[in-house]
Amino acid sequence: MFANVDNPEDSSVKSQVEEIKAKIGVEAPIFVKAMQPSNVASGFLLALPKQFCHSHLPSHDATIILQDESGEKYRTKFIVQKDKSILSSGWRRFCFANKLVVGDVLVFHLVRPLKFKVYIMGTHSLAEVEAAFSLLKFGSCTKQTAFEEIRPMPLPKDVCQVHIDEKTTTDFGDVENTKDFTILVNGVSINSCLSEEIRNRYYDLCCPQRSFLHNHFLESINGKLAAEIITETINIANAIRACRLSTPHGAYVLWEKTLDAFEILGMNVGFLRARLKRLLSLSFRTKQALIRKSKEAKLEQARAKDKVITLESKYWKWKERMVSADAKIEALKEVAERRELFFQEEAVAPWG
C-alpha cells in the first residue's frame, strides 16, 4: 500500500526505515503514504488504502486518533464514502502542527482500533521505503498465493551461520558446474544459508543470464535477507512456470510487486518481470477472447430463442388456419350432401 513518487536523493532514509522497523515490528498493520498537494497544500484530505480500510477499519464514519512521534494526539474525522475512505476534519491541524510538505513520506502504524502512530520521514525516496516494508510483508503474503501446491521453500535452521569460503568466485564465467557455484554477498559466502535444492535451482536460474542475479545487492543487505530474497525469487520463478489460464489476477500482482521490490534492492529479476508481463498480456487477451466468445454465444442463444418463438407463433397461426380450413371443408361437404339429397328427392317425386 504505497503511493508512487519520483526517486529523489536517498539521504538518511535507510537508517530511518531501520529505526521504524525496530519500533513497529514485522507483523504490525501499517501503510505508507507520500504526501501530495491535495494532502498538505490544498483540500487537506487524505485517502486511505482501500484494502487496509477493509481489513482494519470500520465500514462507517468514526473518529480516528493520530499520534505523532512526540506523543501529541490529534482527533480526525474518518469518512467512509462509496469508492474511498478519507481523513478530513482534524487532518489539516495535524499537517500544520508537523509542518508537512509535498513529498514527505509518512508511515501509519495502527497501534489499536482507531488509533495510529504516525512516523514522519521527510522528503525521501519512497522506492526504498516500499522495498523495505514489502520485504517485511512478502513472507506472509506468499502464504496467501493462489498456488497452494507451490509453497515457499523453508530455509535451513542454520540460516544465519554464514562463513567465508577459501575459494570465492565473483565472475560467473569461472562457474562450470554447481560445485564451482559460490554465492557471495558483500564478499561473504551464503552457501550454507541455502539448501542444496535451492542452490541448484538458483544455479539453473543464473545460467541463462550468464551472471549472478544478486551481484548488485545493496551493501546494507545481510546474508539472511539475501538468502530470503534468493529463495523467494526461485519460488516466484517456479510459480510463473506452473501458472495456467485459470491463475487469479491477484497472484500476478503479488509476484510483480515482490519482483519490483527485489529489483530496487539490486536483484537482477528483469527477465522474470518481462516473462510475467508477457503472461499477463496473454492471460488478458485470452480472458478477453473467452469473454467475447461467451457474449457471442449468449447473443447466438438469444437469436435462436427468438427464432424458436417466431416459429412457434407461425406454427400456431398455421394450425388455426388449418382448423378453419377443415371447418370450411366440412361445411361445404354438408351443403353438397344436402343438395344431392334434395335432387334425389326431386327426381323420384311425381310430376304434378
Side-chain angles (χ1 to χ4, degrees), residues 301-340:
Q301 187 178 11
R303 289 173 180 170
K305 188 176 181 179
D306 290 340
K307 287 182 180 180
V308 170
I309 293 173
T310 302
L311 290 173
E312 286 182 347
S313 176
K314 288 181 178 180
Y315 167 75
W316 288 111
K317 287 181 180 180
W318 174 81
K319 191 170 184 179
E320 288 176 359
R321 290 176 182 175
M322 290 296 294
V323 170
S324 178
D326 290 342
K328 288 181 180 180
I329 291 172
E330 291 297 327
L332 289 173
K333 284 182 178 180
E334 185 177 353
V335 170
E337 288 175 355
R338 288 181 179 180
R339 290 184 63 184
E340 185 177 356

Side-chain angles (χ1 to χ4, degrees), residues 87-326:
L87 293 181
S88 59
S89 301
W91 171 249
R92 178 197 291 263
R93 179 168 170 261
F94 180 85
C95 293
F96 287 161
N98 289 279
K99 299 179 181 179
L100 298 182
V101 297
V102 175
D104 281 352
V105 177
L106 273 62
V107 180
F108 291 79
H109 170 209
L110 188 65
V111 293
R112 63 180 176 81
L114 300 178
K115 182 179 179 181
F116 283 96
K117 182 69 177 291
V118 184
Y119 299 88
I120 302 170
M121 302 182 62
T123 305
H124 291 304
S125 168
L126 189 61
E128 288 202 11
V129 180
E130 177 175 358
F133 283 104
S134 293
L135 285 174
L136 289 177
K137 289 180 172 293
F138 86 79
S140 59
C141 288
T142 51
K143 296 176 183 178
Q144 303 173 6
T145 181
F147 286 96
E148 295 182 359
E149 69 273 13
I150 305 173
R151 297 181 174 85
M153 301 175 186
L155 297 175
K157 293 181 179 179
D158 60 345
V159 70
C160 298
Q161 299 175 0
V162 299
H163 64 278
I164 301 178
D165 287 349
E166 294 180 0
K167 296 181 179 180
T168 59
T169 303
T170 57
D171 184 3
F172 195 84
D174 299 332
V175 179
E176 297 181 357
N177 50 53
T178 54
K179 293 181 180 179
D180 302 328
F181 189 61
T182 302
I183 305 171
L184 296 176
V185 176
N186 295 322
V188 178
S189 170
I190 63 168
N191 277 16
S192 62
C193 298
L194 301 167
S195 67
E196 184 178 356
E197 181 183 5
I198 292 292
R199 291 199 303 272
N200 290 339
R201 292 193 179 190
Y202 185 47
Y203 172 78
D204 292 338
L205 210 57
C206 291
C207 279
Q209 309 304 315
R210 299 304 302 166
S211 66
F212 294 96
L213 304 184
H214 64 281
N215 254 357
H216 300 289
F217 268 159
L218 300 178
E219 292 182 1
S220 57
I221 293 180
N222 58 32
K224 180 179 179 180
L225 182 55
E228 291 280 2
I229 294 173
I230 290 172
T231 301
E232 188 58 22
T233 299
I234 293 169
N235 289 334
I236 293 175
N238 292 339
I240 290 174
R241 291 193 193 99
C243 69
R244 299 289 183 271
L245 292 177
S246 58
T247 303
H249 181 74
Y252 290 108
V253 173
L254 175 61
W255 300 334
E256 187 174 29
K257 286 185 176 180
T258 305
L259 291 176
D260 286 346
F262 288 173
E263 194 164 48
I264 291 171
L265 295 176
M267 190 73 171
N268 177 17
V269 290
F271 67 101
L272 287 177
R273 293 179 66 234
R275 190 180 305 170
L276 188 58
K277 186 176 180 180
R278 290 196 298 271
L279 287 174
L280 271 169
S281 176
L282 176 61
S283 174
F284 177 78
R285 292 199 303 269
T286 303
K287 288 180 180 178
Q288 288 295 102
L290 291 174
I291 292 172
R292 185 172 63 253
K293 287 184 178 180
S294 177
K295 288 182 178 179
E296 291 175 353
K298 288 181 179 179
L299 183 61
E300 188 63 30
Q301 187 178 11
R303 289 173 180 170
K305 188 176 181 179
D306 290 340
K307 287 182 180 180
V308 170
I309 293 173
T310 302
L311 290 173
E312 286 182 347
S313 176
K314 288 181 178 180
Y315 167 75
W316 288 111
K317 287 181 180 180
W318 174 81
K319 191 170 184 179
E320 288 176 359
R321 290 176 182 175
M322 290 296 294
V323 170
S324 178
D326 290 342

Side-chain angles (χ1 to χ4, degrees), residues 14-86:
K14 293 180 184 178
S15 61
Q16 293 187 56
V17 168
E18 293 301 324
E19 291 176 6
I20 292 175
K21 286 196 299 184
K23 292 178 182 178
I24 294 178
V26 177
E27 299 300 327
I30 62 172
F31 68 89
V32 179
K33 293 284 289 188
M35 296 297 98
Q36 305 295 326
S38 60
N39 304 140
V40 297
S42 63
F44 291 94
L45 298 174
L46 181 69
L48 305 187
K50 291 182 181 180
Q51 186 59 43
F52 187 93
C53 293
H54 177 74
S55 301
H56 303 290
L57 297 178
S59 57
H60 54 79
D61 295 357
T63 298
I64 285 182
I65 304 297
L66 301 180
Q67 180 181 348
D68 60 23
E69 294 181 76
S70 66
E72 188 70 24
K73 298 178 182 178
Y74 305 84
R75 295 172 64 87
T76 60
K77 186 66 175 179
F78 175 66
I79 300 177
V80 179
Q81 299 178 343
K82 184 177 181 181
D83 57 342
K84 61 182 177 180
S85 300
I86 61 173

